[in-house]
Each structure stands twice: as C-alpha cells, then as structure tokens.
Amino acid sequence: MTGNHPSVTLLGASLPVSGALPPIATTAAQIDPVVRGDPASRAVARVVTDGKFLLGGGQRFLAKGVTYGTFAPDTQGYQFPPLRQVANDFRLMASLGINTVRVYTVPRRELLDEADRHDLRVMVGLPWPQHVAFLDDRQRVSHIRREVTRTIADLGDHPAVLMFVLGNEIPPGVVRWHGRIRIEQFLRQLYQESKATSPDSLFTYGNFPPTEFLDLSFLDVCAFNLYLHRDTELRAYLARLQNVAGQRPLLLAEAGSDSIREGEAGQADITAMHARVAFEEGACGAVAFAWTDEWWRGGYPVEDWRFGLVDHERRFKPAAAAVSSVFGEAPFPPEAKTSWPRVSVVVCAFNAADTIDECLTSLESLTYPDYEIVLVNDGSLDRTSEIGRSHLRVRVVDTPNRGLGAARNLGLAEATGEIVAYTDADVRVDRDWLTFLVQPLLPASEVVGSGGPNLVPVDDPPMAQCIARAPGGPTHVLLDDRVAEHVPGCNMAFQREALLAIGGFNPIYLRAGDDVDICWRLQARGWKIGFAPAALVWHHHRSSLRSYWRQQVGYGEGETWLMGHHPEKFLGGKMLWRGSIYSSVPFVRSLRGTRVNSGVWGTAAFPSVYRTDVHPFAFLPHSIRWQLVSFILTLTGASVAVRGGHPWAAALLFGSGLVGIVVTVARNLAYALRSEVSSVPRSRLWSHATIAFLHFVQPFARARGRIRGMLAPPEVVQSQTDSQASPRPRPSIADGWRALLLITGSVIENRYWAEAWTSADRYLTRLTTGMRRSRAVRTVVVDEGWSDDRDVSVFVGRWGWLDVRALVEDHGSGKCLLRLSTHLRPTAFGLTAALTLGVLLVGAIGAGVAYRWPVAGVVAALMTAAVSAFAAWRTAQAAAIVGHEASGIARAEGMVAMPSGPARAPLIAPTLLRTYVLRSAIIFAVMILALGSGAMLLREVFR
C-alpha cells in the first residue's frame, strides 16, 4: 500500500449497514459444520487465466477480495491472528460475498485450509527486502530467490491458493537506483524460477503508479495498487492500465479509503466506487484495503489510519455493506442494462463450416439483454448455411459470393438494432463481449464506433499458434487510452445511422481493408472510434503456411486499394498511423520505444510514460527491398568470384550482401526467440524456427498482394468532395522563383490584412482541407503540438516537407494581419541525396578530365540536372498549391493581400541539426557502399 493518498470527492449517498449481516462468531464451534468440511474431500478447480479474465471450474471467476493483514507477529514471528480468529474472519468475509483474500506475509497451510472451508481463494504475498538496494548484495538476491521458490514449493499445490504475489511496490527510488532494466530482469528470473517450481500456479507482482513504466508483460496477471478517489480519474487511469496489461487480466489489487479522514460514510462511498468502477472497466477483480482496522507495520501498530471494513472488534462499518452490494452485482448492476440499445450482431461467413458452430454458440450465450444475430452466408459451398439455420436465435441471409464489403452491407441492411456489431465466422466471443463493446457508444458524444482486442485460443494447433506470433495479424491502433484510429473487423461495432450516413462499407474490398477504410471514413467526418479493452474475442488464426500466405497477400492487395482511396494516409507506400499499434508480437513492439518522465529527482507520484518511434532503420532488415538487394549482392559477388574476377570486388559485393542476409536472419531469430511459446504444443526449437521463417516470408506475401492490387485496381469511388478536388497546378515562373528560394533555405512569407478578426486555427483548418482536396498533394500532416516551427506540413517528396506556419497579429478594433510563412524542411534522405549527387558530379568530372573521357562528366551533369529539375518542379508545384489555397481562402474571408517577400533563415533548425547529421552520415555511408558496389558490378560486367 502506498503512503500518499490524494484528496477525495464523496460520490453518491452512503449505504446503510444491512441488518442481515451475521453476528461475530466467538468460537470455532459456532461456525457452520458444513462449511468446516475437510478440504481434501472437496474437488476445487484451479483458477486459470482466460484472456483478460480468470476462469475457475469452467466459470468466470471475478476476484471479489479484501486484504488481510499485516498483523503483529506472535512469539514465533508468525504474522496472523490465532486460527480461531482467522476462522471467524473468513466466515464473515464469505457472508459479504467476498471470495478472495490477499495476504502480505506467508501463511501456514492451516490458514489456507480454513480459507478453503469457506470457499475463499488466497493471494499469497511473498515478502522480501525490497525497500533497500537489494540487487547490490548478491547473497541477499540468492536468499530472496531461494526463499521464494521454497515457499512456492510448499504451498503451490494447495487448492485455496489463487496466485502468488512476487513482491509489492518496490519504491521508485530503488528502481531508479538499480535502473528499470535490472529490476525487470530480476523479476523475470524470479517469475521463471517460480513457474518452473509450480507450473500450474498464477503469478503477479503488486505494482503501483510510480513504477507503472516497468515492463512486466511476462507475468500471468497485471496487478496494481491504486488509490484515486474520484470516479473520472480512476476510470481514466484504469483505461491506461488496461493497455499496460495488454492481453493479460488486470487486477485492482488494492483500493480503499480511510474512515478517520473521510468519515465512515465517505469511506463506504469511495471504497464501493473503487470496486464498481474496476468491474465496469473490465478488471478481473477488485481487492478492498482492508478487512480490519487492526494493522501493524514497520514494527508498530498503525493508529492514525483506519481502512478496515470492520473495526478492531470486528464490528461491521458501513463500507462492509457497500462493498458487499457491489460484489453481489458485479460486473454490472442489473438495472444498468435495462435501457441499453438493441444491437444487431452480424457475422459474415464464406465456407466457414469448421468454425461457424462455435461462433454462433458463443453468440447465443451473451449476457447482453437485447440483441439479434444475423448470419450473412456469402455464397458458401459447404454447410455454413445449414449449420447457421440449426441455431434457433440466428437469422440466416443467403447471398451469392460478392466479397466481404458487400456482405457487411447486406448485414447492415438486415439489421434492426440501433447498433450494428460485426465479428468473423472464425471467432469465439466472450460472454460479456457485447456489454463491454457497447459501453463506449452509450454516452451522447462524437463516438460512433468501438472495437476491442482479439486473442489467440490456447487450443489452436501449433502452426496457428506460431502464425499468431508472426507479423501481419489483425490488431488495434490507439490514439489514446480510449480512442482508436483503427479496430479490427473481427471485433467492431458502429451506430447504424453513422454507417448509413457514409454509405456503408465500400464493396470493392473483397477480402481485407474494409475495416481500415470504414474507420478512416468515419473519422474524416469528425467522429471518433472508441476502444473497449475488455470486449474480448478469441480469433482462430490460419493453420497452415499456405493459408497464412494467402491472408497476407489479401492484406497487401487491400493496402494497395486503400492507397487509392486514402492517399493522404500513406507515405512512401507505407501507412501513416497517427496512433500506436498495440500488439504482443515482438516485431511490432520493437517499432515503438518508451520515454519516462519521473519528475524532478524521481518525485512524480504518476510518472509520464510516452511512446516514441524508433529509428526508421530498425524496420529495414524486415523490408523486401533490403532482402532482395542483399540476395542480389551476394549472388553477384559469388558470380564474380567464380568467373575469376577481381578478388577485392568479389569480396566487397559478397560481403555486403552477406551482411544484409545475416542481419535479416538475426533480427527474425531475435523476434522469434522473444516470442512466448510455452502454450505451443511443440518443441521450442520447432516453434522458434517456424516463427522466424514466418517473419521472413511475410513481407514477400505483402509485396505479392500489392502487385496483384496494382494489376487489378478496383474502381476508386470518390465522394462529392473528392470529385471537386483541384487539378494538378502548372507552376508559373513566380512559383519557380519561390521554389528556388525555398530550396536555397529561404522562408517565403505571405501577408493578408483583414478588417474583421480571424483566428489562426480557423484559417489553418480551411487551408488544410483545401490542400487535402488537391490530387497533387499526397500527404498533409497537421502538427499536434510537438513542434514549434510548423503548423501544417505538405509532403513534397522523399527529400523534404513544405512547412507552413501562421500568425495572426492583433492591430486593434478587430483588425488583424495574417502572416503565413513557408519553408522547405529537408529530410535526412534529401540532404544525403544532395551530397551524394554532388560527390558523383565532382567525381565524374574529375574522372572525365583524368581519363580524357568527357562523356562521364556530361552524363553526370545531365543526371544531376534532371534530378534537380524534378525536385524543383515538385517543390514549385507544392508551393503553388499552398499559395493558391492561401490566396483563395484570404479572398473568401475578405482579406487584402499585402506585399510579401523572402526572409532568410537557417537551412536546418539548430534543434534538428544533430539528428540530421547522424541520419545523414548513416544514409550517406550506406549509399556510398551501394554505389561503390554497383560501380564495381558494372565494371565486372563490361570489362
């Protein structure tokens, strides 16, 4: 438990203590003899993880818990009350609907037996000296690991053990002292040794906000101690923690309130709010701190805090009844669903006889109060329709095969609900899937859609398990903890009216891409897509290499068609995601880094954790271009050596290609080795080798799909706005002069005088909209506050961006001057390409003079001039678009153009100089190596 608690706001009315609560039992004999049966005589199913929830005996197990202790030690150092008192406490807990007890010190088996008699599960805390710099003492570390594994070996087989807690709240100062990596490595080793000792047990660690940034994704359960006393703040942070937990259960392992400071009524309100919000936000359980006001810590009894549901004498406080009421209604109060809207669940199926029965059976078991199931049989040639009709709650709609987009539209037309939810035929949904999926759509807001995660079924065959750990699978992209940029098609829901407003799904998407397209089109209207982390579906992945190849080819084809509909979302042939891609696949996770701000001297109670992009070179070894160039260089070098060419040329070519191949193989193996394969029912060697091979073939399949998409492009359906898009402008002489100024590092400034006030954001919004309508502009990016030298950026080419910045000067009486500055921001590639062209030009001229071969200089000069002219033309074109749009909007606003001109500015902002130099040096070295290899190749070919 953390020692600092923020101020609180009391929420709702206090709940009275129920008179039905049983009295305290003073002797063990007063306990019901049926409850005190022999634990060995009752078969108790071990609780296991089930996606983001827990499962016990085939049923959902929601941990409804309370902490117990710490208590003053007896003469033997045992920190629990006498067994008779423990039995009384456990009986009272069970009467409140509590099923979980969290203890902080190691209990004896007799305490676990007593918990088992009352149908209680115990979270066993394994304490060790974590409040000191424990990693500095090797003997202490060895002692910790030895004692932890010994305790687990003694208690791991007991049926009352819910999970083991491998430590609790390592202070942030200790984490900063040792460094997060060493702490993570220690906890990982402790987990691995514990799991090897008791493979069937669950393990967690009691984390808290100051060390939220620790990567503990290897644990079975993500447990956090959290004391936020306002509903909105708690919900916001739990949404953040759901993303920290990923595909694991999230447990609110400690939460409560002090009755001295808040009053007993206030304590009841706050503690009940903690539990209620935790369940509504999809946590697998909530543990109230604490059972009793009797609390011993640091060698002394604690008298100035009273967090107990009962007092020292075990008399119930109002918090006991409040928490009991929430536990009895979890996860949602019955009255909460009475006014929820009707939902139509649409399943689109094509030849899905193998999986459709499981899908429909799970849909028929949903806990949502008002929904229908519509199965769209998209021309299946197997028993899909017949199986669907065998389910009484399912309405089957048969149609000729027209593709996924058309099938989704047919389901939309058949739907009678206010909300239309979509899932796939190879999916099994969680019983509360629809309840959590609909939640983001309930408030009246700009959220018109929602989605959730998709998990891998543990009973999938080995190849499917490996494919689930390969890149290219469906996943979600989040803009923040609650708003998504994209949700996968197997787990999404939308307001029916919103889908109809944009014309439904685009039917050209036959196999993939429809979900991305629909999300982007809704967001273009200014609407939002919500994310529900607890809306779970289990998605069966492809079970053969051939089917995985076909899937990735289909995704590549869909990407090509998306590029035609949404050119502003692509850069250099790759999607521009504004959000973060959330996936457990190591390859995807490697594309993102984290930066942590822990406050001055590490004093922040809630550190800021930011996601950052890694260097773009990190993706290169996984690209098809890198792999093809590596193979070509290797084969060319080997060919030169076989033909008896120059040894140094052969060695350079062969060595360059071999380095590329080795890097690719090493990266793919690294991703495979970092994949958790304990659930794959094959050897680790086979699993890791298969995953590595899938990493290798995936970019080739995507490339094959893109080629197929380009060879058979669908009709690009344009909206009315798109049809009015401005044509490609022909730059004038003035535009060419401005482009020359921009290329040489100048800033072009346009000024407009207005007699009526206007704001910069209003003007920039209209400017951005106008530029995005132009077919000559591939990408327009709006800065979201991370840069102070640009508001809007227009993509010119690989060599640079045209940055636009606006300022509105207030000249009084509502009059203002709008100043619009434009400058060219070169990319690292642009700087390196310019430097390389200069080196080639000088080298070619020098070679021509030295060898009396002027053709080399002429050819190099012509090539340089052609590349420079192309760059100047594109820059002039982009500058013309910006200038024409700026002038047009100014005229529409009644502004008067003022004399404008260039202003000198540094070519590169000083803050970016270091980054540009580093990137340029690396790119320049790679290009020189490639050009040198190419020159030697040509020499060997034509010698």
Side-chain angles (χ1 to χ4, degrees), residues 655-808:
S656 301
L658 188 61
V659 167
I661 294 175
V662 169
V663 170
T664 297
V665 173
R667 291 297 296 270
N668 290 339
L669 284 175
Y671 295 140
L673 292 173
R674 286 162 53 189
S675 300
E676 177 55 48
V677 296
S678 59
S679 62
V680 181
R682 292 291 291 270
S683 68
R684 297 179 66 88
L685 177 62
W686 181 90
S687 301
H688 288 313
T690 302
I691 295 172
F693 180 72
L694 293 171
H695 275 79
F696 175 75
V697 302
Q698 190 263 348
F700 288 92
R702 284 291 180 98
R704 169 70 180 90
R706 290 201 167 197
I707 294 173
R708 190 171 75 177
M710 288 186 290
L711 295 178
E715 179 183 359
V716 177
V717 182
Q718 292 182 323
S719 64
Q720 184 178 0
T721 303
D722 294 333
S723 64
Q724 299 173 354
S726 58
R728 295 178 183 271
R730 291 183 177 275
S732 62
I733 296 177
D735 293 329
W737 172 247
R738 282 194 292 268
L740 181 61
L741 292 175
L742 290 170
I743 291 175
T744 56
S746 295
V747 174
I748 303 298
E749 183 176 319
N750 295 324
R751 301 184 179 189
Y752 304 96
W753 177 260
E755 295 292 330
W757 175 260
T758 188
S759 61
D761 58 344
R762 179 178 177 221
Y763 183 87
L764 288 171
T765 299
R766 295 193 60 183
L767 180 65
T768 303
T769 303
M771 288 191 295
R772 283 177 172 168
R773 286 202 306 262
S774 175
R775 292 195 299 269
V777 177
R778 297 289 296 183
T779 304
V780 178
V781 177
V782 176
D783 178 66
E784 297 182 349
W786 297 100
S787 305
D788 56 4
D789 59 348
R790 56 186 179 273
D791 295 319
V792 179
S793 299
V794 178
F795 183 65
V796 179
R798 294 291 300 275
W799 61 88
W801 293 81
L802 208 60
D803 290 338
V804 181
R805 184 169 51 171
L807 170 67
V808 175

Side-chain angles (χ1 to χ4, degrees), residues 829-909:
F829 177 86
L831 290 175
T832 307
L835 182 59
T836 303
L837 283 174
V839 171
L840 285 177
L841 180 61
V842 173
I845 294 175
V849 172
Y851 293 98
R852 298 180 180 180
W853 192 31
V855 176
V858 173
V859 171
L862 290 176
M863 290 179 60
T864 303
V867 172
S868 301
F870 177 74
W873 173 266
R874 289 296 300 272
T875 304
Q877 198 174 53
I881 293 170
V882 174
H884 295 170
E885 288 291 340
S887 300
I889 295 172
R891 287 193 300 270
E893 295 282 343
M895 299 181 181
V896 178
M898 304 290 291
S900 304
R904 298 299 303 176
L907 181 62
I908 307 174

Side-chain angles (χ1 to χ4, degrees), residues 238-316:
L238 285 174
R240 180 186 184 96
L241 292 183
Q242 284 284 19
N243 290 319
V244 172
Q247 297 185 356
R248 299 170 299 149
L250 172 66
L251 174 66
L252 184 58
E254 261 188 32
S257 179
D258 177 21
S259 61
I260 293 179
R261 291 162 180 81
E262 311 300 339
E264 290 192 350
Q267 178 201 19
D269 290 340
I270 294 171
T271 308
M273 181 273 293
H274 284 153
R276 182 181 64 254
V277 169
F279 289 121
E280 291 179 355
E281 292 295 329
C284 71
V287 180
F289 187 93
W291 170 244
T292 172
D293 287 341
E294 180 186 351
W295 192 28
W296 188 90
R297 183 180 175 90
Y300 301 94
V302 177
E303 301 292 346
D304 60 341
W305 277 358
R306 293 177 185 173
F307 279 76
L309 302 184
V310 300
D311 60 17
H312 289 77
E313 288 74 32
R314 303 307 196 263
R315 292 184 296 237
F316 286 107

Side-chain angles (χ1 to χ4, degrees), residues 338-689:
T338 56
S339 60
W340 285 20
R342 178 172 172 81
V343 180
S344 297
V345 180
V346 176
V347 182
C348 301
F350 174 72
N351 290 343
D354 292 340
T355 58
I356 191 64
D357 184 65
E358 180 189 29
C359 174
L360 298 178
T361 300
S362 66
L363 288 173
E364 289 176 320
S365 303
L366 290 171
T367 59
Y368 195 83
D370 185 12
Y371 70 100
E372 65 172 347
I373 306 172
V374 179
L375 172 62
V376 179
N377 176 34
D378 189 27
S380 299
L381 303 177
D382 59 8
R383 298 179 57 248
T384 297
S385 180
E386 177 186 346
I387 296 173
R389 295 181 190 279
S390 67
H391 291 262
L392 299 180
R393 289 203 57 178
V394 178
R395 178 154 51 96
V396 180
V397 181
D398 294 311
T399 179
N401 181 250
R402 294 174 181 170
L404 184 57
R408 293 201 195 275
N409 281 336
L410 182 56
L412 173 63
E414 292 287 335
T416 62
E418 301 174 42
I419 296 173
V420 184
Y422 290 93
T423 190
D424 290 345
D426 56 354
V427 156
R428 172 174 59 86
V429 303
D430 182 75
R431 67 172 194 174
D432 293 322
W433 166 66
L434 202 54
T435 303
F436 285 112
L437 188 64
V438 170
Q439 262 194 306
L441 302 173
L442 292 180
S445 66
E446 296 175 336
V447 177
V448 298
S450 67
N454 63 100
L455 283 64
V456 186
V458 295
D459 56 350
D460 265 5
M463 180 57 75
Q465 296 272 11
C466 292
I467 288 175
R469 291 158 173 79
T475 187
H476 49 279
V477 182
L478 299 187
L479 296 171
D480 58 36
D481 294 322
R482 291 201 183 274
V483 179
E485 183 178 6
H486 165 253
V487 291
C490 61
N491 189 1
M492 60 185 185
F494 303 98
Q495 296 281 0
R496 186 172 184 271
E497 294 302 320
L499 290 180
L500 294 175
I502 62 172
F505 291 83
N506 194 328
I508 68 102
Y509 294 101
L510 305 177
R511 288 167 288 273
D514 60 299
D515 49 358
V516 180
D517 174 74
I518 203 73
C519 289
W520 282 346
R521 287 164 57 204
L522 289 170
Q523 290 163 7
R525 290 289 189 99
W527 293 327
K528 295 180 180 180
I529 309 296
F531 182 70
L536 300 183
V537 303
W538 282 264
H539 189 199
H540 293 287
H541 285 67
R542 302 302 190 269
S543 57
S544 69
L545 179 60
R546 184 177 181 181
S547 59
Y548 174 70
W549 174 272
R550 288 200 301 264
Q551 179 197 47
Q552 296 304 310
V553 169
Y555 286 170
E557 182 183 61
E559 285 180 7
T560 302
W561 298 347
L562 283 167
M563 196 182 307
H565 290 101
H566 306 275
E568 75 281 358
K569 295 290 188 178
F570 288 80
L571 176 61
K574 297 188 180 301
M575 288 188 183
L576 286 177
W577 294 113
R578 291 188 298 130
S580 300
I581 303 175
Y582 282 80
S583 172
S584 59
V585 176
F587 168 72
V588 178
R589 296 182 64 186
S590 70
L591 301 179
R592 294 280 179 177
T594 57
R595 292 187 63 186
V596 180
N597 186 326
S598 300
V600 179
W601 304 324
T603 56
F606 288 76
S608 300
V609 183
Y610 300 98
R611 290 188 175 271
T612 59
D613 290 326
V614 299
H615 200 278
F617 293 141
F619 181 78
L620 273 180
H622 193 71
S623 68
I624 189 172
R625 299 172 186 173
W626 173 286
Q627 297 179 19
L628 286 177
V629 169
S630 300
F631 277 110
I632 291 173
L633 289 177
T634 304
L635 293 176
T636 303
S639 176
V640 171
V642 170
R643 293 189 307 135
H646 291 289
W648 58 270
L652 183 57
L653 290 169
F654 185 82
S656 301
L658 188 61
V659 167
I661 294 175
V662 169
V663 170
T664 297
V665 173
R667 291 297 296 270
N668 290 339
L669 284 175
Y671 295 140
L673 292 173
R674 286 162 53 189
S675 300
E676 177 55 48
V677 296
S678 59
S679 62
V680 181
R682 292 291 291 270
S683 68
R684 297 179 66 88
L685 177 62
W686 181 90
S687 301
H688 288 313

